[in-house]
Amino acid sequence: MNPADEPYRPDRTPLVPPGQMDCHVRDMTATFSAEVTLAAAQEKLAEFNQWIPIDGDPESPLGHLVETNSTGPLRLGYGAWRDLLLGCQFTNGRDELITAGGRTVKNVAGYDLTKFMVGQGGVFGRLVTITTRTYKLPAAALLATFPPELALVGKLIPSPCRPQWMLLKPDALYCGYLGDQPTLDYHRATLGELGQTALESRSLQADAEFRQQLLRGQDPTIASPTIASAGH
C-alpha cells in the first residue's frame, strides 16, 4: 500500500512521560505530566525565574487541581485554570489519548476542548498532560490590611492600587500585591493614602501560606514560624 493512502493515525504519545515536565522557557509556557504536584512544578519553574500563579494544595497533582478547578484568591490578578491552560492531553472512555490545544497563546479554531476539561471532575476524561502559560516570578509580596468595608473593594479594583489577590473577612479586608521591587515600592508609597491598618513585606512562600490559612478558615494573625520570619 502506498504510504499516502494509509489512513491517518493520530499520535497517541504523551507529550511528557509520567511524572516529568518540559519547560519552554523562552515561550513562557510549560508542559507537565498530570501527576506532577504543584510544589514540584513551582520548584522547577523557579530555576528559570518563572512560576504558575495559581493557589492550591502544594502537594496535589496538577491534573487534580485542573479537573476540580481548584483556584483561590490569585485568580483576581492572574485568572484561573481556564485562563492559564493552553493545551492538554486526556484519555477518554475508550482509553484513547486525545490531544487538545498546544503551546501557543492563540492556537484554537472552533470549540476550545482544553477549557472543557477544567472542573469536569474526570467525568469526560482523565488528564495525562497539561500545557500552561507561566509568568515571571515576583521578587516579593506586600500585604495590606484594611478595615472590613465592602466599599473599599469597589474603590481598589479600578484603581492603580488594584491588588493581585483580595479577601474580605468579618474582621479585615486583606489585599496582596506581588511584583518586582519597583512595583512594590510604588504600592508601598501610594497605599498609605487609602487608610490601611497594616502594611507588611513578605516572601512569596509566606504570602502563599497566608492565603492557604485564610481559605482553610484559620486565623492568619497567629503567624507560623515561616510567616513570622518573612517580614523585613
Side-chain angles (χ1 to χ4, degrees):
M1 178 183 291
N2 189 325
D5 298 329
E6 292 184 5
Y8 171 71
R9 298 182 183 276
D11 187 6
R12 302 299 187 189
T13 305
L15 294 175
V16 292
Q20 299 299 309
M21 24 191 156
D22 184 12
C23 300
H24 322 298
V25 179
R26 295 183 60 130
D27 295 337
M28 297 197 75
T29 64
T31 300
F32 301 97
S33 165
E35 301 171 353
V36 173
T37 65
L38 178 60
Q42 301 289 38
E43 181 179 359
K44 183 64 177 179
L45 287 171
E47 298 177 8
F48 310 106
N49 199 36
Q50 296 180 14
W51 73 318
I52 307 173
I54 201 77
D55 287 309
D57 179 2
E59 300 308 317
S60 289
L62 292 174
H64 173 75
L65 295 177
V66 173
E67 288 177 353
T68 58
N69 195 21
S70 177
T71 60
L74 278 178
R75 64 179 177 267
L76 175 65
Y78 298 96
W81 281 115
R82 289 178 60 86
D83 306 290
L84 295 172
L85 281 185
L86 299 174
C88 69
Q89 291 179 300
F90 62 93
T91 54
N92 63 11
R94 298 178 179 178
D95 203 30
E96 299 170 322
L97 184 66
I98 309 299
T99 300
R103 281 176 45 186
T104 59
V105 175
K106 298 185 68 174
N107 57 21
V108 175
Y111 189 80
D112 189 351
L113 190 58
T114 301
K115 304 295 190 292
F116 188 67
M117 299 306 295
V118 177
Q120 49 84 36
V123 174
F124 302 109
R126 284 295 182 185
L127 285 168
V128 176
T129 71
I130 66 166
T131 299
T132 177
R133 67 182 74 204
T134 62
Y135 284 76
K136 182 180 178 181
L137 188 68
L142 192 64
L143 175 68
T145 305
F146 293 91
E149 299 175 5
L150 185 58
L152 284 172
V153 176
K155 186 175 182 179
L156 285 167
I157 292 296
S159 76
C161 288
R162 174 190 174 101
Q164 274 69 57
W165 67 267
M166 176 185 291
L167 275 175
L168 179 61
K169 293 288 187 177
D171 59 338
L173 172 65
Y174 296 105
C175 296
Y177 297 85
L178 297 85
D180 56 22
Q181 203 56 55
T183 299
L184 296 179
D185 289 342
Y186 167 79
H187 288 310
R188 180 179 290 277
T190 56
L191 280 169
E193 304 171 3
L194 298 174
Q196 84 279 354
T197 59
L199 191 61
E200 179 187 354
S201 297
R202 52 182 51 202
S203 69
L204 293 179
Q205 180 182 354
D207 194 60
E209 291 176 2
F210 186 85
R211 292 194 305 274
Q212 288 296 315
Q213 287 181 319
L214 289 172
L215 290 174
R216 294 181 187 131
Q218 299 172 350
D219 186 354
T221 62
I222 304 176
S224 68
T226 302
I227 293 178
S229 62
H232 57 79

